[in-house]
Coordinates of all heavy atoms in Angstrom, one line a residue:
F1374 N 6.0 -6.7 -21.4 CA 5.6 -5.7 -22.4 C 6.1 -4.3 -22.1 O 6.6 -3.6 -22.9 CB 4.1 -5.7 -22.5 CG 3.5 -4.5 -23.3 CD1 3.7 -4.4 -24.6 CD2 2.8 -3.6 -22.6 CE1 3.3 -3.2 -25.3 CE2 2.3 -2.4 -23.3 CZ 2.5 -2.3 -24.6
L1375 N 6.0 -3.9 -20.8 CA 6.4 -2.6 -20.4 C 7.9 -2.4 -20.5 O 8.4 -1.3 -20.8 CB 5.9 -2.3 -19.0 CG 4.4 -2.2 -18.9 CD1 4.0 -1.8 -17.4 CD2 3.8 -1.1 -19.8
V1376 N 8.7 -3.5 -20.3 CA 10.1 -3.5 -20.5 C 10.4 -3.3 -22.0 O 11.2 -2.5 -22.4 CB 10.8 -4.7 -19.9 CG1 12.3 -4.8 -20.4 CG2 10.7 -4.7 -18.4
E1377 N 9.8 -4.1 -22.8 CA 10.0 -4.0 -24.3 C 9.6 -2.6 -24.8 O 10.3 -2.1 -25.7 CB 9.1 -5.1 -25.0 CG 9.4 -5.3 -26.4 CD 8.5 -4.4 -27.3 OE1 7.4 -4.0 -26.8 OE2 8.9 -4.0 -28.4
K1378 N 8.6 -2.0 -24.2 CA 8.1 -0.7 -24.6 C 9.0 0.4 -24.2 O 9.0 1.5 -24.6 CB 6.7 -0.5 -24.1 CG 5.9 0.7 -24.7 CD 4.5 0.7 -24.1 CE 3.8 2.0 -24.5 NZ 3.6 2.1 -26.0
G1379 N 9.9 0.1 -23.2 CA 10.9 1.1 -22.7 C 10.4 1.9 -21.5 O 11.0 2.8 -21.1
V1380 N 9.2 1.4 -21.0 CA 8.7 2.1 -19.8 C 9.6 1.9 -18.6 O 9.8 2.9 -17.8 CB 7.2 1.7 -19.5 CG1 6.7 2.3 -18.2 CG2 6.3 2.0 -20.7
C1381 N 10.1 0.7 -18.4 CA 11.0 0.4 -17.3 C 12.2 -0.4 -17.9 O 12.1 -1.0 -19.0 CB 10.3 -0.4 -16.2 SG 9.1 0.6 -15.3
K1382 N 13.2 -0.5 -17.1 CA 14.4 -1.2 -17.5 C 14.4 -2.7 -17.3 O 15.1 -3.5 -17.9 CB 15.7 -0.6 -16.9 CG 16.0 0.8 -17.3 CD 17.3 1.3 -16.7 CE 17.7 2.7 -17.2 NZ 18.9 3.2 -16.6
S1383 N 13.6 -3.1 -16.3 CA 13.5 -4.5 -15.9 C 12.1 -4.9 -15.4 O 11.3 -4.0 -15.0 CB 14.5 -4.8 -14.8 OG 14.2 -4.2 -13.6
V1384 N 11.9 -6.2 -15.4 CA 10.6 -6.7 -14.8 C 10.4 -6.3 -13.4 O 9.3 -5.9 -13.0 CB 10.5 -8.2 -15.0 CG1 9.4 -8.8 -14.2 CG2 10.4 -8.6 -16.5
S1385 N 11.4 -6.4 -12.6 CA 11.3 -6.0 -11.2 C 11.0 -4.5 -11.0 O 10.2 -4.1 -10.2 CB 12.6 -6.3 -10.4 OG 13.7 -5.6 -11.0
D1386 N 11.5 -3.6 -11.9 CA 11.2 -2.2 -11.9 C 9.7 -2.0 -12.2 O 9.0 -1.1 -11.7 CB 12.0 -1.4 -12.9 CG 13.5 -1.2 -12.4 OD1 13.7 -1.4 -11.2 OD2 14.3 -0.9 -13.3
V1387 N 9.2 -2.8 -13.2 CA 7.8 -2.6 -13.5 C 6.9 -3.0 -12.3 O 5.9 -2.2 -12.0 CB 7.4 -3.6 -14.7 CG1 5.9 -3.5 -15.0 CG2 8.2 -3.2 -16.0
F1388 N 7.2 -4.1 -11.7 CA 6.4 -4.4 -10.5 C 6.5 -3.3 -9.4 O 5.5 -2.9 -8.8 CB 6.9 -5.7 -9.9 CG 6.2 -6.9 -10.5 CD1 6.7 -7.5 -11.7 CD2 5.0 -7.5 -10.0 CE1 6.1 -8.6 -12.3 CE2 4.4 -8.5 -10.6 CZ 5.0 -9.1 -11.8
Q1389 N 7.7 -2.8 -9.2 CA 7.9 -1.8 -8.2 C 7.1 -0.5 -8.5 O 6.5 0.1 -7.5 CB 9.4 -1.5 -8.0 CG 9.7 -0.4 -6.9 CD 11.1 -0.2 -6.8 OE1 12.0 -0.8 -7.5 NE2 11.5 0.8 -6.0
H1390 N 7.0 -0.1 -9.7 CA 6.4 1.2 -10.1 C 5.0 1.1 -10.6 O 4.3 2.1 -10.6 CB 7.3 1.9 -11.1 CG 8.7 2.3 -10.5 ND1 8.9 3.2 -9.5 CD2 9.9 1.7 -10.8 CE1 10.1 3.3 -9.3 NE2 10.8 2.4 -10.0
Y1391 N 4.6 -0.1 -11.1 CA 3.3 -0.1 -11.8 C 2.4 -1.2 -11.3 O 1.1 -1.1 -11.3 CB 3.5 -0.3 -13.3 CG 4.0 1.0 -13.9 CD1 5.4 1.1 -14.2 CD2 3.2 2.0 -14.3 CE1 5.9 2.3 -14.8 CE2 3.7 3.2 -14.9 CZ 5.0 3.3 -15.1 OH 5.5 4.5 -15.7
L1392 N 2.9 -2.4 -10.9 CA 2.0 -3.5 -10.7 C 1.9 -4.0 -9.3 O 1.1 -4.9 -9.0 CB 2.5 -4.7 -11.6 CG 2.5 -4.4 -13.1 CD1 3.0 -5.6 -13.9 CD2 1.1 -4.1 -13.6
A1393 N 2.6 -3.4 -8.4 CA 2.5 -3.8 -6.9 C 1.3 -3.1 -6.3 O 0.7 -2.2 -6.9 CB 3.8 -3.5 -6.2
D1394 N 0.9 -3.6 -5.2 CA -0.3 -3.1 -4.5 C -0.1 -1.5 -4.3 O 0.9 -1.1 -3.8 CB -0.4 -3.7 -3.1 CG -1.7 -3.5 -2.4 OD1 -2.5 -2.7 -3.0 OD2 -2.0 -4.1 -1.4
G1395 N -1.1 -0.8 -4.7 CA -1.1 0.7 -4.5 C -0.5 1.4 -5.7 O -0.5 2.6 -5.7
K1396 N 0.0 0.7 -6.7 CA 0.6 1.3 -7.9 C -0.5 1.4 -9.0 O -1.5 0.8 -9.0 CB 1.8 0.5 -8.3 CG 2.9 0.4 -7.3 CD 3.4 1.8 -6.8 CE 4.5 1.7 -5.8 NZ 4.9 3.1 -5.3
P1397 N -0.2 2.2 -10.1 CA -1.2 2.5 -11.1 C -1.8 1.3 -11.8 O -3.0 1.4 -12.2 CB -0.4 3.3 -12.1 CG 0.7 3.9 -11.3 CD 1.1 2.9 -10.3
G1398 N -1.1 0.2 -12.0 CA -1.7 -0.9 -12.7 C -2.1 -2.1 -11.8 O -2.4 -3.2 -12.3
F1399 N -2.1 -1.9 -10.5 CA -2.4 -3.0 -9.6 C -4.0 -3.2 -9.6 O -4.7 -2.3 -9.4 CB -2.0 -2.7 -8.2 CG -2.4 -3.8 -7.2 CD1 -1.7 -5.0 -7.2 CD2 -3.4 -3.7 -6.4 CE1 -2.0 -6.1 -6.3 CE2 -3.8 -4.7 -5.5 CZ -3.1 -5.9 -5.5
V1400 N -4.4 -4.5 -9.7 CA -5.8 -4.9 -9.6 C -5.8 -6.1 -8.7 O -5.2 -7.1 -9.0 CB -6.4 -5.2 -11.0 CG1 -7.8 -5.7 -10.8 CG2 -6.3 -4.0 -11.9
A1401 N -6.5 -5.9 -7.6 CA -6.7 -7.1 -6.7 C -7.5 -8.2 -7.3 O -8.3 -8.0 -8.1 CB -7.3 -6.6 -5.4
H1402 N -7.2 -9.4 -6.9 CA -7.9 -10.6 -7.4 C -8.1 -11.6 -6.2 O -7.1 -11.8 -5.5 CB -7.2 -11.2 -8.5 CG -7.9 -12.4 -9.2 ND1 -8.9 -12.2 -10.0 CD2 -7.7 -13.7 -9.0 CE1 -9.3 -13.4 -10.4 NE2 -8.7 -14.3 -9.8
R1403 N -9.2 -12.2 -6.1 CA -9.4 -13.2 -5.1 C -9.1 -14.6 -5.7 O -9.8 -15.0 -6.7 CB -10.9 -13.2 -4.5 CG -11.1 -12.0 -3.7 CD -12.3 -12.2 -2.7 NE -12.0 -13.3 -1.8 CZ -11.3 -13.2 -0.7 NH1 -10.7 -12.0 -0.3 NH2 -11.1 -14.2 0.1
W1404 N -8.1 -15.2 -5.1 CA -7.7 -16.5 -5.6 C -8.4 -17.6 -4.8 O -9.4 -17.4 -4.1 CB -6.2 -16.6 -5.5 CG -5.4 -15.6 -6.3 CD1 -4.7 -14.6 -5.8 CD2 -5.3 -15.4 -7.7 NE1 -4.2 -13.8 -6.8 CE2 -4.5 -14.3 -8.0 CE3 -5.8 -16.2 -8.8 CZ2 -4.2 -13.9 -9.2 CZ3 -5.5 -15.7 -10.1 CH2 -4.7 -14.6 -10.3
A1405 N -7.8 -18.8 -4.8 CA -8.3 -19.9 -4.0 C -8.1 -19.6 -2.5 O -7.3 -18.8 -2.1 CB -7.6 -21.2 -4.4
K1406 N -8.9 -20.3 -1.7 CA -8.7 -20.3 -0.2 C -7.5 -21.2 0.1 O -7.3 -22.2 -0.6 CB -9.9 -20.7 0.5 CG -11.1 -19.7 0.4 CD -12.2 -20.1 1.3 CE -12.8 -21.4 1.0 NZ -14.0 -21.7 1.8
L1407 N -6.8 -20.9 1.2 CA -5.7 -21.7 1.6 C -6.2 -23.2 1.8 O -5.5 -24.1 1.4 CB -5.1 -21.2 2.9 CG -3.8 -21.9 3.5 CD1 -2.7 -21.8 2.5 CD2 -3.4 -21.3 4.8
S1408 N -7.3 -23.3 2.5 CA -7.8 -24.7 2.8 C -8.1 -25.4 1.5 O -7.8 -26.7 1.4 CB -9.0 -24.6 3.7 OG -10.0 -23.9 3.0
D1409 N -8.6 -24.7 0.5 CA -8.9 -25.4 -0.8 C -7.6 -25.8 -1.5 O -7.5 -27.0 -2.0 CB -9.7 -24.4 -1.7 CG -11.1 -24.2 -1.3 OD1 -11.6 -25.0 -0.6 OD2 -11.7 -23.1 -1.7
A1410 N -6.6 -24.9 -1.5 CA -5.4 -25.3 -2.2 C -4.7 -26.5 -1.6 O -4.3 -27.4 -2.3 CB -4.4 -24.1 -2.2
L1411 N -4.7 -26.5 -0.3 CA -4.0 -27.7 0.4 C -4.9 -28.9 0.2 O -4.3 -30.0 0.0 CB -3.8 -27.4 1.9 CG -2.4 -26.9 2.2 CD1 -2.3 -25.4 1.8 CD2 -2.1 -27.0 3.7
G1412 N -6.2 -28.8 0.1 CA -7.1 -29.9 -0.1 C -6.8 -30.5 -1.5 O -6.7 -31.7 -1.7
W1413 N -6.7 -29.6 -2.5 CA -6.4 -30.1 -3.9 C -5.1 -30.8 -4.0 O -5.0 -31.9 -4.6 CB -6.5 -29.0 -4.9 CG -7.7 -28.2 -4.9 CD1 -9.0 -28.7 -4.6 CD2 -7.9 -26.8 -5.3 NE1 -9.9 -27.7 -4.7 CE2 -9.3 -26.5 -5.1 CE3 -7.0 -25.8 -5.7 CZ2 -9.8 -25.3 -5.4 CZ3 -7.5 -24.6 -6.0 CH2 -8.9 -24.3 -5.8
I1414 N -4.1 -30.3 -3.4 CA -2.7 -30.8 -3.4 C -2.7 -32.2 -2.7 O -2.2 -33.2 -3.2 CB -1.7 -29.9 -2.8 CG1 -1.5 -28.7 -3.7 CG2 -0.4 -30.6 -2.5 CD1 -0.8 -27.5 -3.0
Q1415 N -3.4 -32.3 -1.6 CA -3.4 -33.5 -0.8 C -4.2 -34.6 -1.5 O -3.9 -35.8 -1.6 CB -3.9 -33.3 0.6 CG -3.0 -32.5 1.4 CD -3.6 -31.7 2.6 OE1 -4.9 -31.8 2.8 NE2 -2.8 -31.0 3.4
Q1416 N -5.4 -34.2 -2.2 CA -6.2 -35.1 -2.9 C -5.4 -35.7 -4.1 O -5.6 -36.9 -4.5 CB -7.4 -34.4 -3.5 CG -8.5 -34.1 -2.5 CD -9.2 -35.4 -2.0 OE1 -9.4 -36.4 -2.8 NE2 -9.7 -35.4 -0.8
A1417 N -4.4 -34.9 -4.6 CA -3.6 -35.4 -5.7 C -2.3 -36.1 -5.2 O -1.4 -36.4 -6.0 CB -3.2 -34.2 -6.6
G1418 N -2.3 -36.4 -3.9 CA -1.2 -37.2 -3.4 C 0.1 -36.4 -3.1 O 1.2 -37.0 -2.9
G1419 N 0.0 -35.1 -3.2 CA 1.2 -34.2 -3.0 C 1.4 -33.7 -1.7 O 0.6 -33.9 -0.8
V1420 N 2.5 -33.0 -1.5 CA 2.8 -32.3 -0.2 C 2.8 -30.8 -0.5 O 3.2 -30.3 -1.6 CB 4.1 -32.7 0.4 CG1 4.0 -34.2 0.7 CG2 5.3 -32.4 -0.5
A1421 N 2.4 -30.0 0.5 CA 2.2 -28.5 0.3 C 3.4 -27.8 0.9 O 3.9 -28.1 2.0 CB 0.9 -28.1 0.9
V1422 N 3.9 -26.7 0.2 CA 5.0 -25.9 0.6 C 4.6 -24.5 0.4 O 4.1 -24.1 -0.6 CB 6.2 -26.2 -0.4 CG1 7.5 -25.4 0.1 CG2 6.5 -27.7 -0.4
I1423 N 4.9 -23.6 1.4 CA 4.7 -22.2 1.3 C 5.9 -21.7 0.4 O 7.1 -21.8 0.8 CB 4.7 -21.5 2.6 CG1 3.5 -21.9 3.4 CG2 4.6 -19.9 2.4 CD1 3.4 -21.2 4.8
A1424 N 5.6 -21.1 -0.7 CA 6.6 -20.5 -1.6 C 7.1 -19.2 -1.1 O 6.4 -18.4 -0.5 CB 6.0 -20.3 -3.0
H1425 N 8.4 -19.0 -1.3 CA 9.1 -17.7 -0.9 C 8.4 -16.9 0.2 O 7.9 -15.8 -0.1 CB 9.3 -16.8 -2.2 CG 8.1 -16.8 -3.1 ND1 6.9 -16.4 -2.8 CD2 8.0 -17.2 -4.4 CE1 6.0 -16.5 -3.8 NE2 6.7 -17.0 -4.8
P1426 N 8.4 -17.4 1.4 CA 7.7 -16.6 2.5 C 8.2 -15.3 2.8 O 7.5 -14.4 3.3 CB 7.8 -17.6 3.7 CG 9.0 -18.4 3.4 CD 9.0 -18.6 1.9
G1427 N 9.4 -15.0 2.4 CA 10.0 -13.7 2.7 C 9.5 -12.6 1.8 O 9.7 -11.4 2.0
R1428 N 8.7 -13.0 0.7 CA 8.2 -12.0 -0.2 C 6.9 -11.3 0.2 O 6.6 -10.3 -0.3 CB 8.0 -12.6 -1.6 CG 9.2 -12.5 -2.5 CD 8.9 -13.2 -3.8 NE 7.7 -12.9 -4.5 CZ 7.3 -13.4 -5.6 NH1 8.1 -14.3 -6.2 NH2 6.1 -13.1 -6.1
Y1429 N 6.2 -11.9 1.2 CA 4.9 -11.4 1.5 C 4.9 -10.2 2.4 O 5.7 -10.2 3.4 CB 4.0 -12.5 2.0 CG 4.0 -13.8 1.2 CD1 4.4 -15.0 1.7 CD2 3.7 -13.7 -0.2 CE1 4.4 -16.1 0.9 CE2 3.7 -14.8 -1.0 CZ 4.1 -16.0 -0.5 OH 4.1 -17.1 -1.3
D1430 N 4.1 -9.3 2.1 CA 4.0 -8.1 3.0 C 3.1 -8.4 4.2 O 2.0 -7.9 4.3 CB 3.4 -6.9 2.1 CG 3.3 -5.6 2.9 OD1 4.0 -5.5 3.9 OD2 2.5 -4.7 2.5
L1431 N 3.7 -9.1 5.1 CA 3.0 -9.6 6.3 C 3.9 -9.2 7.5 O 5.1 -9.4 7.5 CB 2.8 -11.1 6.3 CG 1.9 -11.7 5.2 CD1 1.9 -13.2 5.2 CD2 0.4 -11.2 5.4
S1432 N 3.2 -8.8 8.6 CA 3.9 -8.6 9.9 C 4.4 -9.9 10.4 O 3.9 -11.0 10.0 CB 3.0 -7.9 10.9 OG 1.9 -8.8 11.3
D1433 N 5.3 -9.9 11.4 CA 5.7 -11.1 12.0 C 4.6 -11.9 12.6 O 4.5 -13.2 12.5 CB 6.8 -10.8 13.1 CG 8.1 -10.3 12.5 OD1 8.3 -10.4 11.3 OD2 8.9 -9.7 13.3
V1434 N 3.6 -11.2 13.2 CA 2.5 -11.9 13.8 C 1.6 -12.6 12.7 O 1.2 -13.7 12.8 CB 1.6 -10.9 14.6 CG1 0.3 -11.5 15.0 CG2 2.4 -10.4 15.8
A1435 N 1.4 -11.8 11.6 CA 0.6 -12.4 10.5 C 1.3 -13.6 9.8 O 0.7 -14.6 9.5 CB 0.3 -11.3 9.5
L1436 N 2.6 -13.4 9.7 CA 3.4 -14.5 9.0 C 3.3 -15.8 9.9 O 3.1 -16.9 9.4 CB 4.8 -14.1 8.8 CG 5.7 -15.1 8.1 CD1 5.2 -15.4 6.7 CD2 7.1 -14.6 8.0
T1437 N 3.4 -15.6 11.2 CA 3.3 -16.8 12.1 C 1.9 -17.4 12.0 O 1.7 -18.6 12.0 CB 3.6 -16.3 13.6 OG1 5.0 -15.9 13.6 CG2 3.5 -17.5 14.5
A1438 N 0.9 -16.5 12.0 CA -0.5 -17.0 11.9 C -0.7 -17.8 10.6 O -1.4 -18.9 10.6 CB -1.5 -15.8 11.9
L1439 N -0.1 -17.3 9.5 CA -0.2 -18.0 8.2 C 0.4 -19.4 8.3 O -0.2 -20.4 7.9 CB 0.5 -17.2 7.1 CG 0.8 -18.0 5.8 CD1 -0.6 -18.4 5.1 CD2 1.6 -17.1 4.8
M1440 N 1.6 -19.5 8.9 CA 2.3 -20.7 9.0 C 1.6 -21.7 9.9 O 1.6 -22.9 9.7 CB 3.8 -20.5 9.4 CG 4.6 -19.8 8.4 SD 6.3 -19.8 8.7 CE 6.9 -19.0 7.2
E1441 N 1.0 -21.2 11.0 CA 0.3 -22.0 11.9 C -1.0 -22.6 11.3 O -1.3 -23.8 11.4 CB -0.1 -21.3 13.2 CG 1.1 -21.0 14.1 CD 0.8 -20.1 15.3 OE1 -0.3 -19.5 15.3 OE2 1.6 -20.0 16.2
E1442 N -1.7 -21.8 10.5 CA -2.9 -22.3 9.8 C -2.5 -23.3 8.7 O -3.1 -24.4 8.6 CB -3.7 -21.1 9.2 CG -4.9 -21.6 8.5 CD -5.7 -20.4 7.9 OE1 -5.5 -19.3 8.3 OE2 -6.6 -20.7 7.1
F1443 N -1.4 -23.0 8.0 CA -0.9 -23.9 7.0 C -0.5 -25.3 7.6 O -0.9 -26.3 7.0 CB 0.4 -23.2 6.4 CG 1.1 -24.1 5.4 CD1 0.6 -24.3 4.1 CD2 2.4 -24.6 5.7 CE1 1.4 -25.0 3.2 CE2 3.1 -25.3 4.8 CZ 2.6 -25.5 3.5
K1444 N 0.1 -25.2 8.8 CA 0.5 -26.5 9.4 C -0.7 -27.3 9.9 O -0.8 -28.5 9.7 CB 1.4 -26.2 10.6 CG 2.1 -27.4 11.2 CD 3.0 -27.0 12.4 CE 3.7 -28.2 12.9 NZ 4.7 -28.8 12.0
Q1445 N -1.7 -26.6 10.4 CA -3.0 -27.2 10.9 C -3.7 -27.9 9.7 O -4.4 -28.9 9.9 CB -3.9 -26.2 11.5 CG -3.4 -25.7 12.9 CD -4.2 -24.5 13.4 OE1 -5.1 -24.0 12.8 NE2 -3.8 -24.0 14.6
L1446 N -3.6 -27.3 8.5 CA -4.2 -27.8 7.3 C -3.4 -29.0 6.7 O -3.9 -29.5 5.7 CB -4.5 -26.7 6.3 CG -5.5 -25.7 6.7 CD1 -5.4 -24.5 5.8 CD2 -6.9 -26.3 6.7
G1447 N -2.3 -29.3 7.2 CA -1.5 -30.4 6.7 C -0.3 -30.0 5.9 O 0.3 -30.8 5.2
G1448 N 0.0 -28.7 5.8 CA 1.2 -28.2 5.1 C 2.5 -28.8 5.8 O 2.6 -28.9 7.0

Side-chain angles (χ1 to χ4, degrees):
F1374 165 68
L1375 293 180
V1376 170
E1377 187 271 335
K1378 191 176 173 66
V1380 175
C1381 290
K1382 292 183 178 180
S1383 69
V1384 166
S1385 59
D1386 284 345
V1387 176
F1388 274 87
Q1389 182 179 352
H1390 296 292
Y1391 289 96
L1392 298 178
D1394 194 353
K1396 300 302 180 181
F1399 177 78
V1400 176
H1402 183 79
R1403 288 203 63 81
W1404 304 109
K1406 294 190 295 186
L1407 184 64
S1408 57
D1409 289 339
L1411 267 73
W1413 301 333
I1414 290 166
Q1415 291 158 358
Q1416 285 289 330
V1420 300
V1422 182
I1423 297 179
H1425 40 62
R1428 267 180 45 183
Y1429 307 126
D1430 182 19
L1431 296 171
S1432 68
D1433 290 345
V1434 171
L1436 184 62
T1437 299
L1439 168 64
M1440 292 193 177
E1441 288 176 344
E1442 182 177 344
F1443 175 74
K1444 191 176 183 71
Q1445 289 168 2
L1446 291 168

